[in-house]
Amino acid sequence: MVSRRTAHDPSSTVAESAFRGDRRELVIVGNGMAASRLLDDLIQRGAEKRYRIKVFGEESGGSYNRVQLSKVLGGAESDAIMMKPSAWFAERGVEFVPGVTVTHLDTTAHQVHAADGRLHHYDVAVLATGSSAFVPPIEGIEGDDGRWKRGVFVYRTLEDCLKIRTFAHSGDNAMVLGGGLLGLEAAKALSDQGLHVTVIHLADSLMNVQLDRLGADLLRRQIERCGIFVRTGRSIRAIRGTERVEAVVLDDGTFLSARMVVLACGIRPRVEVARASNIPVNKGILVNDTLATHIPGVYAVGECAEHAGKIYGIVTPIFEQATVLADVLTGYRPRSRYRGSKLYTRLKVAGIEVAAMGLAEPTLETDEVIQVIEERKASYRKLIVREGKLVGAMLVGDVEAAASLVQVFDRGDPLPDNRLDILCSPDAGASEADRTVCNCNRVGESMIVDSIKAGCGTVQALGDATRAGTGCGSCKGLLAQLIDRHAGQAANGAGAPRNGKIPAGASANGV
Ligand SMILES: Cc1cc2nc3c(=O)[nH]c(=O)nc-3n(C[C@H](O)[C@H](O)[C@H](O)COP(=O)(O)OP(=O)(O)OC[C@H]3O[C@@H](n4cnc5c(N)ncnc54)[C@H](O)[C@@H]3O)c2cc1C
């Protein structure tokens, strides 16, 4: 029988909780996307036999899909992106403590210290504290009371989105600082609500981490066509106004009237709990290939973790980390190891699709570069090939080849001799049977087709069965096409893989 006592129950003290039967106490600090995936993977592996699981979340409410926050910014209800409401935890015997910040761990006494003054015993602790928005120094960001002026926002949480939405009015001037993925998403959502939006970006071209100059220029033209103004090579030096934002001053002295400023200038891993607990930290919390920190019994996963010198800021690697950690903690695959992830970005901004992976520019003299520019179709495609293998690709406008390219990029498969084949006939070079359809969750076409044939007739049902489409959601159109193509072959609904327990003999990866 699983204890349902909450942290607010006075009986939930260390003295009492130190011994509760032979199951061990697994505490997860953070209730974001990494924690959510870890919970799914733990439960799939029967973790409840081994652990009592307790999850602390600083944000109130259940877990939501942060990747889809722009839906809420665009006017959708919060429920539209909810992944695990409070009831989800109760139904699975997981103790959920929302709205409570963990301050530190006493790693000698194995205690979690919460900001409400309560202590909780742990045997295994997982830090999944994510990141916070980076806020650059800006003169005048604060009012006389030391708080941010009214009209200054970051774009990170559900609460941020609801605040931005409430504040924004059609016709207002909004400045978005940052022309990366998040800034462009925020700018489009505000522009769609009738605001007069300017994106200010420090680098010389938009999305400069993922795109080269040609790709970025094409993207910029499309964004400007939506009515959004773009100023590159600039930043905001000062915010003017007494209690609320009235204008911004750029670093070249330009003065722009503004009623709101949205900061989307990057992220910083949240390492404060680790630091306060003397757990070694560099930029992120240092972990090895099992996601273990240097302190026995303490692990870290997600954007707060630094593995082999890298911190990941998108969900695919984070989901891969969570799967390895669940394998290790449950003993399902004790030798499972995380070896790092290859990065792939896919988004639709201002109606233009973008996919980018690996290098944006060649780095060796021997690297081959293939570029296809179709001005009238607003399409730009580029491949970087090293020794016959794909080491970088970017697609702007036409991303039909993305699924095949990800597959050959991921697996290091040789490209066809005529490199253009993989762009013009996307199935060349990649085997259709296992093309990656959902990159966030690494779900291949064969698993999706099997699930359709086994009776999954809707995108929602496919998501429940395989997880496809439950990350950024950009593959949902492709899922619908696959349903149209294969639904006729459905074999009476039996045997669809279920996203509950792992069937005997099945692989847990990507289930
Ligand atoms: C607007 C937006 C759009 C995005 N779009 C994409 C996209 O298209 N594709 C993509 O792959 N990625 C995207 N991302 C990135 C993706 O959302 C993150 O990589 C992912 O959410 C990281 O998961 P995480 O669990 O590590 O961190 P988070 O999701 O940030 O979760 C961490 C949680 O821990 C809680 N926490 C922190 N400290 C404590 C504490 N001391 N005590 C208790 N709780 C604590 C936080 O409140 C938070 O809820 C986007 C992010 C944003 C903000």
Side-chain angles (χ1 to χ4, degrees):
M1 181 67 192
V2 174
S3 162
R4 296 279 165 86
R5 281 182 284 190
T6 70
H8 305 286
D9 179 341
S11 63
S12 185
T13 61
V14 171
E16 271 194 286
S17 65
F19 182 78
R20 289 180 180 171
D22 51 7
R23 284 190 300 166
R24 304 168 79 215
E25 302 282 338
L26 168 58
V27 166
I28 302 175
V29 182
N31 183 32
M33 302 214 45
S36 175
R37 172 51 64 93
L38 177 63
L39 281 167
D40 286 339
D41 286 345
L42 285 169
I43 286 166
Q44 275 187 341
R45 289 157 179 72
E48 69 277 7
K49 293 191 199 87
R50 198 182 267 232
Y51 297 106
R52 294 171 198 276
I53 306 174
K54 188 183 283 186
V55 181
F56 289 88
E58 185 180 72
E59 297 181 69
S60 56
S63 313
Y64 58 87
N65 188 338
R66 197 175 301 282
V67 170
Q68 296 188 358
L69 272 179
S70 62
K71 279 191 184 171
V72 175
L73 198 53
E77 293 300 321
S78 308
D79 282 354
I81 61 165
M82 194 52 66
M83 295 188 301
K84 290 183 172 53
S86 299
W88 184 95
F89 296 86
E91 282 158 15
R92 284 155 186 83
V94 174
E95 189 175 339
F96 180 39
V97 192
V100 174
T101 304
V102 166
T103 56
H104 65 284
L105 310 180
D106 179 335
T107 57
T108 310
H110 280 222
Q111 290 172 358
V112 174
H113 289 242
D116 61 5
R118 294 183 189 277
L119 305 182
H120 305 256
H121 173 76
Y122 76 85
D123 296 299
V124 175
V126 177
L127 301 178
T129 49
S131 297
S132 51
F134 170 64
V135 178
I138 299 176
E139 185 196 314
I141 193 170
E142 292 169 354
D144 291 341
D145 58 2
R147 301 204 325 222
W148 279 4
K149 286 178 183 158
R150 281 182 54 225
V152 180
F153 301 95
V154 292
Y155 180 37
R156 175 77 200 174
T157 66
L158 185 56
E159 197 187 347
D160 295 332
C161 283
L162 295 173
K163 281 187 188 159
I164 295 172
R165 214 169 81 178
T166 309
F167 191 86
H169 293 293
S170 184
D172 285 350
N173 290 339
M175 300 294 142
V176 175
L177 185 60
L181 190 152
L182 298 195
L184 296 180
E185 244 187 29
K188 178 68 167 55
L190 291 172
S191 170
D192 286 347
Q193 288 168 54
L195 282 86
H196 183 284
V197 182
T198 305
V199 173
I200 298 154
H201 188 54
L202 186 61
D204 286 335
S205 58
L206 296 175
M207 284 190 69
N208 53 299
V209 176
Q210 293 91 358
L211 298 183
D212 68 3
R213 195 59 194 247
L214 273 172
D217 285 350
L218 201 147
L219 179 67
R220 178 178 181 149
R221 286 198 291 280
Q222 291 298 111
I223 284 171
E224 288 174 336
R225 243 174 238 154
C226 295
I228 297 168
F229 290 85
V230 177
R231 289 177 182 247
T232 48
R234 292 278 156 261
S235 69
I236 295 180
R237 191 177 72 209
I239 292 177
R240 298 282 184 247
T242 42
E243 291 306 309
R244 63 173 186 84
V245 177
E246 288 170 16
V248 297
V249 183
L250 304 190
D251 53 357
D252 62 352
T254 306
F255 184 94
L256 297 171
S257 161
R259 189 168 176 270
M260 64 189 293
V261 176
V262 177
L263 304 172
C265 322
I267 54 173
R268 292 292 178 270
R270 290 192 59 179
V271 295
E272 61 270 21
V273 175
R275 275 226 171 87
S277 316
N278 288 324
I279 296 166
V281 163
N282 182 30
K283 284 186 177 150
I285 305 166
L286 295 170
V287 293
N288 68 8
D289 291 0
T290 63
L291 286 311
T293 70
H294 287 248
I295 303 297
V298 183
Y299 296 78
V301 65
E303 280 186 354
C304 65
E306 178 174 330
H307 174 267
K310 280 195 187 151
I311 294 169
Y312 295 95
I314 54 175
V315 289
T316 310
I318 286 165
F319 290 167
E320 289 169 353
Q321 291 176 356
T323 300
V324 170
L325 183 53
D327 280 345
V328 170
L329 291 181
T330 57
Y332 176 76
R333 279 203 192 123
R335 300 164 87 89
S336 188
R337 295 292 179 267
Y338 178 69
R339 307 284 188 203
S341 300
K342 287 185 164 181
L343 289 186
Y344 170 61
T345 308
R346 173 133 187 210
L347 75 153
K348 188 171 184 177
V349 63
I352 187 164
E353 300 233 40
V354 175
M357 63 203 83
L359 300 178
E361 296 289 357
T363 52
L364 300 182
E365 253 183 38
T366 48
D367 287 345
E368 286 173 60
V369 180
I370 297 104
Q371 288 166 294
V372 181
I373 306 163
E374 294 171 273
E375 282 287 350
R376 291 182 65 185
K377 273 177 66 184
S379 156
Y380 172 57
R381 292 173 291 171
K382 173 177 177 179
L383 306 178
I384 303 174
V385 181
R386 183 173 297 162
E387 292 168 6
K389 293 181 181 169
L390 190 68
V391 290
M394 80 183 59
L395 307 171
V396 183
D398 175 356
V399 295
E400 210 198 326
S404 305
L405 288 172
V406 170
Q407 191 190 334
V408 295
F409 172 69
D410 245 0
R411 302 198 319 197
D413 290 344
L415 285 174
D417 287 342
N418 180 0
R419 314 298 191 211
L420 285 178
D421 283 352
I422 195 148
L423 288 180
C424 303
S425 137
D427 296 335
S431 83
E432 184 168 4
D434 55 1
R435 273 195 312 161
T436 306
V437 174
C438 171
N439 193 71
C440 293
N441 292 290
R442 299 261 197 247
V443 189
E445 186 161 332
S446 59
M447 178 183 271
I448 289 164
V449 171
D450 286 350
S451 301
I452 297 169
K453 288 181 182 167
C456 292
T458 62
V459 172
Q460 169 81 42
L462 271 181
D464 291 344
T466 67
R467 287 180 175 158
T470 60
C472 72
S474 65
C475 62
K476 282 186 174 174
L478 188 48
L479 295 176
Q481 283 172 23
L482 289 170
I483 291 171
D484 283 348
R485 199 181 308 157
H486 297 283
Q489 304 154 28
N492 70 31
R498 282 278 135 222
N499 200 7
K501 301 281 178 203
I502 302 166
S507 156
N509 280 335
V511 171

